[in-house]
Amino acid sequence: MGPRILVFLAVALSQVCTIPAMTDGADFTALKALKDIWKNVPPTWVGSDPCGSRWEGILCANSRVTSITLASMGLKGSLSGDIQSLSELQILDLSYNKGLSGPLPSAIGDLKNLTNLILVGCSFCGPIPGSIGSLPLLASLSLNSNGFTGSIPPSIGNLTSLYLLDLADNRLTGTIPVSTATTPGLDLLVHTKHFHLGLNQLSGTIPPKLFSSEMKLIHVLFESNKLTGSIPSTLGLVKTLEVVRLDNNSFRGSVPSSINSLTSVSTMFLSNNDLTGPLPNLTGMPVLTYLDMSNNSFDDTEFPPWLSTLQSLTTLYGYIMVLCFPSQSKLSHTHP
Ligand SMILES: *[C@@H]1O[C@H](CO)[C@@H](O)[C@H](O)[C@H]1NC(C)=O
Ligand SMILES: *[C@@H]1O[C@H](CO)[C@@H](O)[C@H](O)[C@H]1NC(C)=O
Ligand SMILES: *[C@@H]1O[C@H](CO)[C@@H](O)[C@H](O)[C@H]1NC(C)=O
Ligand SMILES: *[C@@H]1O[C@H](CO)[C@@H](O)[C@H](O)[C@H]1NC(C)=O
Ligand SMILES: *[C@@H]1O[C@H](CO)[C@@H](O)[C@H](O)[C@H]1NC(C)=O
C-alpha cells in the first residue's frame, strides 16, 4: 500500500469512529432554540443529538455544528440571537423560506468561522447589521430578495475574503460606501467577483474611488436604483468585467471613453438613463454580444460605422429600433 492509501484509510477510520459523538451542548441548545421558534422544521429534528442522529440539513465536525442548510423547507419564524453559540458554523443557508422574517441579529457577527451566509428569497427586514464586517472568512454574502432597509454597511469593505456580494432586490437606501480615513468601504473588496446591488433605492453618484485596477470584478450590477451623476471613468480600470448593468437609474453626461478598454465585457446595459453626448465607441469590446443603450439622450447621429466591426454582437437595443433582436435566454443568464 502506498502512503496515500494509508492516509486515506486513516482518515476514513477516524471519520467512522467520530460518528457516535454527541453534539456539543451549546450547539444543541442553539439548534433547540431555533427548533422551538420555527414552524415546519424537518421531521428528523427529534432527540438531543443533531450531529449523531443526523438532523436533516445539519452537518457537524468533531461534535460541532458546521453547516445549516435548509433551503426551500417552508420554514416560518425568525432568526434568534441564540445562533451566536454556533461558533464553528461555516455555512448558514436558509434561502427561499418566505416565512422567515424579522431582523438579521447583530450576533451574526460572532460566527467567526462563517464562510457562506445565504438568505436569498426570505422576508428578512430591517438594517443589515454592521457586525457582518467582522466575519473575516466570509466568502459569499447573499441577502438578495428580502426586505432589508437602511444603507449598505461600510464594514462590508472589511470582508477581504468576499467572493460574492449580493444585496440585490431589497429596499436599501443611501449611497455606495467607499473607504475613508476611518471607515472601510466597498473599494477595498479587491478580490470580490460580484457586486450585485440592483433593484434597490440607492442614491447619489458612484464614487470614482469605488473602482481600481486591482479589482477582479466580473459582474457590476447596479440597475434599477436612483443613482445619479456621471458614469465614473474609473470603471474602465476593472479589466476583468464581463457584465455591466447601469440601466434604469438617472445617470447623466457622456459615457466615459475608458469603457472601450473593457475587453472582456459581453453584456452591457446603459438603457433608461439620461446619458448625453456621442454614442460611445465600443470597438475595444471584441466579445460584446448584448448591448442596450435605449432610452437615453445621446446626440442624434448616423449609425456609427464602428458598430458593424463588433463581430460578436448579436443583440443591440439602441437608438435605432430596427436593430432590436431580443434574446430571452441571454437576458435570463445575465440577470440571475
Ligand atoms: C474556526 O476558527 C478558529 C479560529 O478563528 C479556528 O481555530 C478553527 O479551526 C476554525 N474551525 C474550523 C472548523 O475551521
Ligand atoms: C474588521 O475586521 C476585524 C477582524 O475581523 C474586526 O476586528 C473589526 O472590528 C472589523 N471592522 C469593522 C469596521 O467591521
Ligand atoms: C426601474 O427601477 C424601479 C425601481 O427603482 C423598478 O420599480 C422598475 O420596475 C424598473 N424598471 C425597469 C424597466 O427595469
Ligand atoms: C426611460 O428612462 C426613464 C429614466 O429611467 C424612465 O423613467 C422611463 O420610464 C423610461 N421610458 C421608457 C419608455 O422605458
Ligand atoms: C474607436 O476606438 C478604437 C480603439 O479601440 C480606435 O482605434 C478608433 O479610432 C476609435 N474610433 C473612433 C471613430 O473614434
Side-chain angles (χ1 to χ4, degrees):
M1 269 192 284
R4 276 186 195 197
I5 293 175
L6 281 174
V7 168
F8 169 78
L9 275 179
V11 170
L13 274 174
S14 72
Q15 282 174 354
V16 166
C17 296
T18 55
I19 280 175
M22 289 285 287
T23 308
D24 172 84
D27 281 5
F28 169 67
T29 306
L31 285 182
K32 174 78 168 44
L34 291 176
K35 181 185 163 182
D36 290 346
I37 58 168
W38 284 352
K39 289 208 178 91
N40 302 336
V41 295
T44 52
W45 281 40
V46 289
S48 58
D49 187 12
C51 298
S53 65
R54 294 175 175 272
W55 284 15
E56 183 179 350
I58 305 298
L59 289 180
C60 304
N62 303 318
S63 307
R64 299 299 313 272
V65 173
T66 54
S67 173
I68 302 179
T69 309
L70 295 167
S72 307
M73 303 287 288
L75 294 175
K76 288 187 167 55
S78 60
L79 207 51
S80 77
D82 293 300
I83 50 160
Q84 165 176 27
S85 340
L86 299 167
S87 57
E88 293 279 329
L89 194 65
Q90 294 167 16
I91 297 174
L92 179 61
D93 181 355
L94 303 174
S95 298
Y96 306 108
N97 290 290
K98 269 285 167 208
L100 287 180
S101 58
L104 187 56
S106 178
I108 202 94
D110 294 333
L111 304 181
K112 298 298 178 202
N113 288 49
L114 209 57
T115 58
N116 294 48
L117 178 59
I118 309 180
L119 305 176
V120 183
C122 299
S123 301
F124 292 109
C125 57
I128 298 171
S131 62
I132 235 160
S134 51
L135 297 173
L137 305 179
L138 199 63
S140 283
L141 178 59
S142 302
L143 304 181
N144 40 311
S145 301
N146 279 279
F148 288 111
T149 51
S151 49
I152 299 174
S155 63
I156 287 179
N158 202 19
L159 299 172
T160 48
S161 312
L162 203 62
Y163 179 92
L164 166 66
L165 174 63
D166 197 338
L167 306 179
D169 191 17
N170 279 290
R171 296 201 295 271
L172 299 172
T173 52
T175 55
I176 298 174
V178 289
S179 61
T180 65
T182 51
T183 57
L186 303 193
D187 53 308
L188 302 179
L189 296 176
V190 294
H191 302 297
T192 306
K193 296 277 193 184
H194 298 263
F195 278 178
H196 297 188
L197 306 180
L199 292 158
N200 279 293
Q201 291 153 32
L202 301 171
S203 57
T205 58
I206 298 182
K209 189 182 182 179
L210 181 62
F211 300 115
S212 67
S213 53
E214 291 112 89
M215 291 188 126
K216 304 291 182 301
L217 287 165
I218 58 172
H219 287 181
V220 165
L221 309 184
F222 290 177
E223 78 282 7
S224 296
N225 277 290
K226 294 176 176 168
L227 297 167
T228 56
S230 52
I231 298 172
S233 64
T234 51
L235 183 66
L237 297 171
V238 190
K239 304 293 183 206
T240 44
L241 278 172
E242 294 175 9
V243 180
V244 177
R245 290 201 63 160
L246 302 176
D247 49 304
N248 199 15
N249 279 287
S250 299
F251 292 113
R252 8 183 96 247
S254 46
V255 177
S257 57
S258 64
I259 64 161
N260 196 21
S261 58
L262 293 175
T263 52
S264 300
V265 167
S266 63
T267 303
M268 187 162 71
F269 288 76
L270 302 177
S271 44
N272 299 341
N273 280 294
D274 198 17
L275 297 167
T276 51
L279 281 161
N281 173 0
L282 303 177
T283 44
M285 295 186 164
V287 296
L288 189 63
T289 49
Y290 191 105
L291 174 64
D292 190 346
M293 299 192 290
S294 62
N295 190 18
N296 277 290
S297 308
F298 290 116
D299 293 350
D300 271 339
T301 37
E302 295 293 298
F303 181 77
W306 56 259
L307 258 178
S308 57
T309 68
L310 289 174
Q311 302 282 320
S312 58
L313 194 65
T314 57
T315 310
L316 170 71
Y317 283 101
Y319 52 107
I320 300 169
M321 294 317 286
V322 172
L323 286 173
C324 171
F325 310 113
S327 161
Q328 283 309 320
S329 60
K330 283 211 180 62
L331 264 173
S332 57
H333 271 303
T334 57
H335 191 196

mmCIF file with all atom_site columns, all heavy atoms in Angstrom, residues 234-249:
data_model
loop_
_atom_site.group_PDB
_atom_site.id
_atom_site.type_symbol
_atom_site.label_atom_id
_atom_site.label_alt_id
_atom_site.label_comp_id
_atom_site.label_asym_id
_atom_site.label_entity_id
_atom_site.label_seq_id
_atom_site.pdbx_PDB_ins_code
_atom_site.Cartn_x
_atom_site.Cartn_y
_atom_site.Cartn_z
_atom_site.occupancy
_atom_site.B_iso_or_equiv
_atom_site.pdbx_formal_charge
_atom_site.auth_seq_id
_atom_site.auth_comp_id
_atom_site.auth_asym_id
_atom_site.auth_atom_id
_atom_site.pdbx_PDB_model_num
ATOM 1   N N   . THR A 1 234 ? -13.318 55.588 -13.942 1.00 0.00 ? 234 THR A N   1
ATOM 2   C CA  . THR A 1 234 ? -12.548 54.529 -13.276 1.00 0.00 ? 234 THR A CA  1
ATOM 3   C C   . THR A 1 234 ? -13.135 53.142 -13.533 1.00 0.00 ? 234 THR A C   1
ATOM 4   O O   . THR A 1 234 ? -12.440 52.138 -13.350 1.00 0.00 ? 234 THR A O   1
ATOM 5   C CB  . THR A 1 234 ? -12.510 54.770 -11.753 1.00 0.00 ? 234 THR A CB  1
ATOM 6   O OG1 . THR A 1 234 ? -13.852 54.979 -11.293 1.00 0.00 ? 234 THR A OG1 1
ATOM 7   C CG2 . THR A 1 234 ? -11.657 55.974 -11.398 1.00 0.00 ? 234 THR A CG2 1
ATOM 8   N N   . LEU A 1 235 ? -14.392 53.075 -13.982 1.00 0.00 ? 235 LEU A N   1
ATOM 9   C CA  . LEU A 1 235 ? -14.988 51.771 -14.315 1.00 0.00 ? 235 LEU A CA  1
ATOM 10  C C   . LEU A 1 235 ? -14.108 51.060 -15.347 1.00 0.00 ? 235 LEU A C   1
ATOM 11  O O   . LEU A 1 235 ? -13.976 49.834 -15.337 1.00 0.00 ? 235 LEU A O   1
ATOM 12  C CB  . LEU A 1 235 ? -16.407 51.975 -14.854 1.00 0.00 ? 235 LEU A CB  1
ATOM 13  C CG  . LEU A 1 235 ? -17.215 50.719 -15.182 1.00 0.00 ? 235 LEU A CG  1
ATOM 14  C CD1 . LEU A 1 235 ? -17.537 49.914 -13.930 1.00 0.00 ? 235 LEU A CD1 1
ATOM 15  C CD2 . LEU A 1 235 ? -18.519 51.083 -15.898 1.00 0.00 ? 235 LEU A CD2 1
ATOM 16  N N   . GLY A 1 236 ? -13.499 51.839 -16.221 1.00 0.00 ? 236 GLY A N   1
ATOM 17  C CA  . GLY A 1 236 ? -12.643 51.287 -17.276 1.00 0.00 ? 236 GLY A CA  1
ATOM 18  C C   . GLY A 1 236 ? -11.359 50.654 -16.759 1.00 0.00 ? 236 GLY A C   1
ATOM 19  O O   . GLY A 1 236 ? -10.624 50.012 -17.523 1.00 0.00 ? 236 GLY A O   1
ATOM 20  N N   . LEU A 1 237 ? -11.082 50.813 -15.476 1.00 0.00 ? 237 LEU A N   1
ATOM 21  C CA  . LEU A 1 237 ? -9.869  50.213 -14.894 1.00 0.00 ? 237 LEU A CA  1
ATOM 22  C C   . LEU A 1 237 ? -10.061 48.740 -14.546 1.00 0.00 ? 237 LEU A C   1
ATOM 23  O O   . LEU A 1 237 ? -9.097  48.007 -14.359 1.00 0.00 ? 237 LEU A O   1
ATOM 24  C CB  . LEU A 1 237 ? -9.477  50.954 -13.599 1.00 0.00 ? 237 LEU A CB  1
ATOM 25  C CG  . LEU A 1 237 ? -9.104  52.423 -13.718 1.00 0.00 ? 237 LEU A CG  1
ATOM 26  C CD1 . LEU A 1 237 ? -8.969  53.050 -12.334 1.00 0.00 ? 237 LEU A CD1 1
ATOM 27  C CD2 . LEU A 1 237 ? -7.803  52.553 -14.500 1.00 0.00 ? 237 LEU A CD2 1
ATOM 28  N N   . VAL A 1 238 ? -11.328 48.318 -14.455 1.00 0.00 ? 238 VAL A N   1
ATOM 29  C CA  . VAL A 1 238 ? -11.617 46.953 -13.975 1.00 0.00 ? 238 VAL A CA  1
ATOM 30  C C   . VAL A 1 238 ? -11.681 46.017 -15.191 1.00 0.00 ? 238 VAL A C   1
ATOM 31  O O   . VAL A 1 238 ? -12.741 45.676 -15.704 1.00 0.00 ? 238 VAL A O   1
ATOM 32  C CB  . VAL A 1 238 ? -12.928 46.915 -13.153 1.00 0.00 ? 238 VAL A CB  1
ATOM 33  C CG1 . VAL A 1 238 ? -13.090 45.563 -12.464 1.00 0.00 ? 238 VAL A CG1 1
ATOM 34  C CG2 . VAL A 1 238 ? -12.963 48.030 -12.109 1.00 0.00 ? 238 VAL A CG2 1
ATOM 35  N N   . LYS A 1 239 ? -10.499 45.586 -15.639 1.00 0.00 ? 239 LYS A N   1
ATOM 36  C CA  . LYS A 1 239 ? -10.372 44.863 -16.915 1.00 0.00 ? 239 LYS A CA  1
ATOM 37  C C   . LYS A 1 239 ? -11.026 43.492 -16.909 1.00 0.00 ? 239 LYS A C   1
ATOM 38  O O   . LYS A 1 239 ? -11.200 42.880 -17.954 1.00 0.00 ? 239 LYS A O   1
ATOM 39  C CB  . LYS A 1 239 ? -8.887  44.675 -17.264 1.00 0.00 ? 239 LYS A CB  1
ATOM 40  C CG  . LYS A 1 239 ? -8.098  45.956 -17.309 1.00 0.00 ? 239 LYS A CG  1
ATOM 41  C CD  . LYS A 1 239 ? -8.538  46.850 -18.446 1.00 0.00 ? 239 LYS A CD  1
ATOM 42  C CE  . LYS A 1 239 ? -7.653  48.085 -18.488 1.00 0.00 ? 239 LYS A CE  1
ATOM 43  N NZ  . LYS A 1 239 ? -8.334  49.229 -19.097 1.00 0.00 ? 239 LYS A NZ  1
ATOM 44  N N   . THR A 1 240 ? -11.348 42.974 -15.709 1.00 0.00 ? 240 THR A N   1
ATOM 45  C CA  . THR A 1 240 ? -11.939 41.639 -15.617 1.00 0.00 ? 240 THR A CA  1
ATOM 46  C C   . THR A 1 240 ? -13.439 41.646 -15.885 1.00 0.00 ? 240 THR A C   1
ATOM 47  O O   . THR A 1 240 ? -14.054 40.589 -15.979 1.00 0.00 ? 240 THR A O   1
ATOM 48  C CB  . THR A 1 240 ? -11.697 41.090 -14.195 1.00 0.00 ? 240 THR A CB  1
ATOM 49  O OG1 . THR A 1 240 ? -11.980 42.132 -13.261 1.00 0.00 ? 240 THR A OG1 1
ATOM 50  C CG2 . THR A 1 240 ? -10.263 40.617 -14.021 1.00 0.00 ? 240 THR A CG2 1
ATOM 51  N N   . LEU A 1 241 ? -14.047 42.813 -16.013 1.00 0.00 ? 241 LEU A N   1
ATOM 52  C CA  . LEU A 1 241 ? -15.513 42.903 -16.117 1.00 0.00 ? 241 LEU A CA  1
ATOM 53  C C   . LEU A 1 241 ? -16.075 42.168 -17.326 1.00 0.00 ? 241 LEU A C   1
ATOM 54  O O   . LEU A 1 241 ? -15.539 42.257 -18.426 1.00 0.00 ? 241 LEU A O   1
ATOM 55  C CB  . LEU A 1 241 ? -15.944 44.369 -16.185 1.00 0.00 ? 241 LEU A CB  1
ATOM 56  C CG  . LEU A 1 241 ? -16.034 45.084 -14.842 1.00 0.00 ? 241 LEU A CG  1
ATOM 57  C CD1 . LEU A 1 241 ? -16.279 46.573 -15.056 1.00 0.00 ? 241 LEU A CD1 1
ATOM 58  C CD2 . LEU A 1 241 ? -17.140 44.482 -13.985 1.00 0.00 ? 241 LEU A CD2 1
ATOM 59  N N   . GLU A 1 242 ? -17.180 41.454 -17.096 1.00 0.00 ? 242 GLU A N   1
ATOM 60  C CA  . GLU A 1 242 ? -17.874 40.740 -18.168 1.00 0.00 ? 242 GLU A CA  1
ATOM 61  C C   . GLU A 1 242 ? -19.308 41.237 -18.351 1.00 0.00 ? 242 GLU A C   1
ATOM 62  O O   . GLU A 1 242 ? -19.826 41.262 -19.450 1.00 0.00 ? 242 GLU A O   1
ATOM 63  C CB  . GLU A 1 242 ? -17.883 39.227 -17.872 1.00 0.00 ? 242 GLU A CB  1
ATOM 64  C CG  . GLU A 1 242 ? -16.466 38.643 -17.925 1.00 0.00 ? 242 GLU A CG  1
ATOM 65  C CD  . GLU A 1 242 ? -16.391 37.187 -17.515 1.00 0.00 ? 242 GLU A CD  1
ATOM 66  O OE1 . GLU A 1 242 ? -17.439 36.539 -17.349 1.00 0.00 ? 242 GLU A OE1 1
ATOM 67  O OE2 . GLU A 1 242 ? -15.261 36.693 -17.346 1.00 0.00 ? 242 GLU A OE2 1
ATOM 68  N N   . VAL A 1 243 ? -19.967 41.604 -17.244 1.00 0.00 ? 243 VAL A N   1
ATOM 69  C CA  . VAL A 1 243 ? -21.340 42.094 -17.334 1.00 0.00 ? 243 VAL A CA  1
ATOM 70  C C   . VAL A 1 243 ? -21.447 43.409 -16.560 1.00 0.00 ? 243 VAL A C   1
ATOM 71  O O   . VAL A 1 243 ? -21.065 43.481 -15.394 1.00 0.00 ? 243 VAL A O   1
ATOM 72  C CB  . VAL A 1 243 ? -22.350 41.065 -16.757 1.00 0.00 ? 243 VAL A CB  1
ATOM 73  C CG1 . VAL A 1 243 ? -23.776 41.597 -16.853 1.00 0.00 ? 243 VAL A CG1 1
ATOM 74  C CG2 . VAL A 1 243 ? -22.238 39.726 -17.477 1.00 0.00 ? 243 VAL A CG2 1
ATOM 75  N N   . VAL A 1 244 ? -21.948 44.434 -17.242 1.00 0.00 ? 244 VAL A N   1
ATOM 76  C CA  . VAL A 1 244 ? -22.118 45.749 -16.624 1.00 0.00 ? 244 VAL A CA  1
ATOM 77  C C   . VAL A 1 244 ? -23.566 46.176 -16.790 1.00 0.00 ? 244 VAL A C   1
ATOM 78  O O   . VAL A 1 244 ? -24.066 46.264 -17.917 1.00 0.00 ? 244 VAL A O   1
ATOM 79  C CB  . VAL A 1 244 ? -21.200 46.800 -17.301 1.00 0.00 ? 244 VAL A CB  1
ATOM 80  C CG1 . VAL A 1 244 ? -21.437 48.189 -16.716 1.00 0.00 ? 244 VAL A CG1 1
ATOM 81  C CG2 . VAL A 1 244 ? -19.730 46.405 -17.154 1.00 0.00 ? 244 VAL A CG2 1
ATOM 82  N N   . ARG A 1 245 ? -24.262 46.368 -15.678 1.00 0.00 ? 245 ARG A N   1
ATOM 83  C CA  . ARG A 1 245 ? -25.653 46.847 -15.742 1.00 0.00 ? 245 ARG A CA  1
ATOM 84  C C   . ARG A 1 245 ? -25.765 48.134 -14.939 1.00 0.00 ? 245 ARG A C   1
ATOM 85  O O   . ARG A 1 245 ? -25.669 48.127 -13.710 1.00 0.00 ? 245 ARG A O   1
ATOM 86  C CB  . ARG A 1 245 ? -26.621 45.801 -15.172 1.00 0.00 ? 245 ARG A CB  1
ATOM 87  C CG  . ARG A 1 245 ? -26.757 44.576 -16.066 1.00 0.00 ? 245 ARG A CG  1
ATOM 88  C CD  . ARG A 1 245 ? -28.040 43.845 -15.776 1.00 0.00 ? 245 ARG A CD  1
ATOM 89  N NE  . ARG A 1 245 ? -29.211 44.662 -16.057 1.00 0.00 ? 245 ARG A NE  1
ATOM 90  C CZ  . ARG A 1 245 ? -30.433 44.183 -16.255 1.00 0.00 ? 245 ARG A CZ  1
ATOM 91  N NH1 . ARG A 1 245 ? -30.641 42.893 -16.194 1.00 0.00 ? 245 ARG A NH1 1
ATOM 92  N NH2 . ARG A 1 245 ? -31.444 45.002 -16.484 1.00 0.00 ? 245 ARG A NH2 1
ATOM 93  N N   . LEU A 1 246 ? -26.001 49.220 -15.664 1.00 0.00 ? 246 LEU A N   1
ATOM 94  C CA  . LEU A 1 246 ? -26.206 50.518 -15.012 1.00 0.00 ? 246 LEU A CA  1
ATOM 95  C C   . LEU A 1 246 ? -27.575 51.068 -15.395 1.00 0.00 ? 246 LEU A C   1
ATOM 96  O O   . LEU A 1 246 ? -27.878 52.235 -15.141 1.00 0.00 ? 246 LEU A O   1
ATOM 97  C CB  . LEU A 1 246 ? -25.103 51.498 -15.445 1.00 0.00 ? 246 LEU A CB  1
ATOM 98  C CG  . LEU A 1 246 ? -23.663 51.070 -15.147 1.00 0.00 ? 246 LEU A CG  1
ATOM 99  C CD1 . LEU A 1 246 ? -22.677 52.079 -15.712 1.00 0.00 ? 246 LEU A CD1 1
ATOM 100 C CD2 . LEU A 1 246 ? -23.437 50.919 -13.650 1.00 0.00 ? 246 LEU A CD2 1
ATOM 101 N N   . ASP A 1 247 ? -28.389 50.229 -16.035 1.00 0.00 ? 247 ASP A N   1
ATOM 102 C CA  . ASP A 1 247 ? -29.668 50.682 -16.591 1.00 0.00 ? 247 ASP A CA  1
ATOM 103 C C   . ASP A 1 247 ? -30.684 51.049 -15.512 1.00 0.00 ? 247 ASP A C   1
ATOM 104 O O   . ASP A 1 247 ? -30.584 50.621 -14.368 1.00 0.00 ? 247 ASP A O   1
ATOM 105 C CB  . ASP A 1 247 ? -30.262 49.601 -17.512 1.00 0.00 ? 247 ASP A CB  1
ATOM 106 C CG  . ASP A 1 247 ? -30.281 48.212 -16.885 1.00 0.00 ? 247 ASP A CG  1
ATOM 107 O OD1 . ASP A 1 247 ? -29.217 47.735 -16.482 1.00 0.00 ? 247 ASP A OD1 1
ATOM 108 O OD2 . ASP A 1 247 ? -31.380 47.622 -16.779 1.00 0.00 ? 247 ASP A OD2 1
ATOM 109 N N   . ASN A 1 248 ? -31.641 51.860 -15.946 1.00 0.00 ? 248 ASN A N   1
ATOM 110 C CA  . ASN A 1 248 ? -32.764 52.245 -15.077 1.00 0.00 ? 248 ASN A CA  1
ATOM 111 C C   . ASN A 1 248 ? -32.291 52.988 -13.822 1.00 0.00 ? 248 ASN A C   1
ATOM 112 O O   . ASN A 1 248 ? -32.644 52.622 -12.710 1.00 0.00 ? 248 ASN A O   1
ATOM 113 C CB  . ASN A 1 248 ? -33.590 50.990 -14.727 1.00 0.00 ? 248 ASN A CB  1
ATOM 114 C CG  . ASN A 1 248 ? -34.992 51.313 -14.226 1.00 0.00 ? 248 ASN A CG  1
ATOM 115 O OD1 . ASN A 1 248 ? -35.483 52.429 -14.386 1.00 0.00 ? 248 ASN A OD1 1
ATOM 116 N ND2 . ASN A 1 248 ? -35.629 50.360 -13.585 1.00 0.00 ? 248 ASN A ND2 1
ATOM 117 N N   . ASN A 1 249 ? -31.456 53.988 -14.048 1.00 0.00 ? 249 ASN A N   1
ATOM 118 C CA  . ASN A 1 249 ? -31.024 54.903 -12.990 1.00 0.00 ? 249 ASN A CA  1
ATOM 119 C C   . ASN A 1 249 ? -31.192 56.316 -13.537 1.00 0.00 ? 249 ASN A C   1
ATOM 120 O O   . ASN A 1 249 ? -31.979 56.523 -14.463 1.00 0.00 ? 249 ASN A O   1
ATOM 121 C CB  . ASN A 1 249 ? -29.562 54.620 -12.625 1.00 0.00 ? 249 ASN A CB  1
ATOM 122 C CG  . ASN A 1 249 ? -29.422 53.442 -11.668 1.00 0.00 ? 249 ASN A CG  1
ATOM 123 O OD1 . ASN A 1 249 ? -29.756 53.559 -10.497 1.00 0.00 ? 249 ASN A OD1 1
ATOM 124 N ND2 . ASN A 1 249 ? -28.936 52.303 -12.163 1.00 0.00 ? 249 ASN A ND2 1
#
